[in-house]
């Protein structure tokens, strides 16, 4: 199944059957949201009407890309990286709902040169603060990777099993997985 989400300005999709990750344009994200899982081979006229501000060729190209992703056929995607990267845990942070400073603590450790940061977290199903902390950390991992100063936040390491049961995860665990995938684009 193809799951789509947005972090910051990036639209991302992942297919949990073939374990591929995709970056979507704004138009491709709109198409994916509109058509859902049962996507016809040709673009529905209602969708063309809803996307009237785009020219026909642009819509056709974006639709073909989304169709290829949904049908697992010839869409360029990135393989998802699983497991813990080489190296060892060289720092540990903890998270308490009563004193949320996970982002600040992780960034301080990354600034001090730590490269493999583990976290002790006892998540609750509904913890919007922790979800925000995950997203801020993911953005920082993404930014630093592009700057040539990468670090690994070990709660963002993924397993095949975790992605296979994505739909059954709690909202907070889905957010953690989404952030982990975002760091891989």
């Amino acid at each position: 199944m193809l799951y789509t989400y947005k972090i910051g300005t990036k639209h991302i999709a992942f297919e949990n059957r073939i374990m591929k990750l995709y970056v979507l344009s704004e138009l491709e994200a709109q198409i994916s949201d509109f058509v859902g899982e049962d996507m016809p081979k040709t673009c529905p006229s209602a969708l063309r009407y809803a996307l009237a501000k785009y020219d026909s060729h642009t819509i056709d190209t974006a639709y073909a890309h989304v169709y290829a992703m949904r049908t697992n056929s010839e869409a360029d995607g990135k393989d998802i990286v699983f497991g813990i990267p080489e190296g060892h845990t060289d720092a540990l942070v903890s998270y308490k709902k009563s004193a949320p400073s996970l982002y600040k603590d992780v960034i301080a450790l990354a600034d001090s040169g730590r490269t493999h940061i583990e976290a002790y977290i006892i998540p609750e199903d509904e913890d919007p603060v922790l979800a925000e902390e995950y997203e801020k950390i993911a953005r920082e991992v993404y930014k630093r990777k592009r700057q040539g100063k990468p670090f690994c936040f070990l709660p963002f390491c993924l397993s095949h099993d975790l992605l296979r049961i994505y739909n059954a995860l709690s909202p907070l665990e889905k957010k953690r997985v989404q952030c982990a995938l975002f760091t891989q684009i």
Side-chain angles (χ1 to χ4, degrees):
M1 179 167 199
L2 187 72
Y3 296 96
T4 60
Y5 62 96
K6 181 178 179 180
I7 291 185
T9 60
K10 301 264 187 213
H11 292 276
I12 300 166
F14 80 93
E15 172 52 71
N16 74 334
R17 288 175 293 213
I18 61 170
M19 301 297 170
K20 291 279 188 185
L21 183 62
Y22 305 94
V23 177
L24 305 175
S25 68
E26 179 71 34
L27 176 58
E28 290 168 342
Q30 289 177 24
I31 290 170
S32 183
D33 291 344
F34 186 91
V35 294
E37 195 63 28
D38 296 328
M39 187 174 187
K41 187 168 176 97
T42 58
C43 185
S45 58
L47 177 58
R48 285 190 183 281
Y49 182 75
L51 301 172
K53 69 179 182 179
Y54 297 98
D55 68 77
S56 182
H57 177 70
T58 303
I59 293 171
D60 289 341
T61 302
Y63 191 87
H65 186 238
V66 174
Y67 184 80
M69 284 186 292
R70 288 205 179 271
T71 59
N72 305 323
S73 61
E74 299 182 29
D76 292 333
K78 181 177 180 179
D79 290 326
I80 296 170
V81 177
F82 295 101
I84 298 172
E86 287 187 33
H88 61 282
T89 300
D90 57 8
L92 177 66
V93 295
S94 62
Y95 171 83
K96 296 177 192 156
K97 192 172 182 177
S98 61
S101 62
L102 186 64
Y103 170 78
K104 184 180 80 176
D105 295 344
V106 168
I107 299 312
L109 289 167
D111 287 342
S112 73
R114 305 301 175 112
T115 59
H116 289 75
I117 302 168
E118 178 63 89
Y120 177 71
I121 300 169
I122 301 175
E124 298 177 20
D125 274 351
E126 296 300 320
D127 190 345
V129 174
L130 182 54
E132 289 174 23
E133 295 282 297
Y134 280 155
E135 189 165 326
K136 289 192 292 188
I137 292 167
R139 288 180 183 181
E140 193 67 25
V141 169
Y142 175 83
K143 179 179 96 177
R144 289 183 186 219
K145 184 166 77 172
R146 273 146 190 72
Q147 294 173 340
K149 302 179 228 169
F151 72 94
C152 178
F153 183 58
L154 295 176
F156 288 170
C157 294
L158 298 170
S159 71
H160 281 91
D161 293 338
L162 186 64
L163 289 183
R164 290 197 201 304
I165 63 163
Y166 178 81
N167 213 30
L169 297 176
S170 72
L172 183 60
E173 280 299 291
K174 283 182 181 177
K175 185 63 165 184
R176 183 176 68 83
V177 168
Q178 291 170 1
C179 289
L181 290 167
F182 174 77
T183 64
Q184 295 190 25
I185 62 170

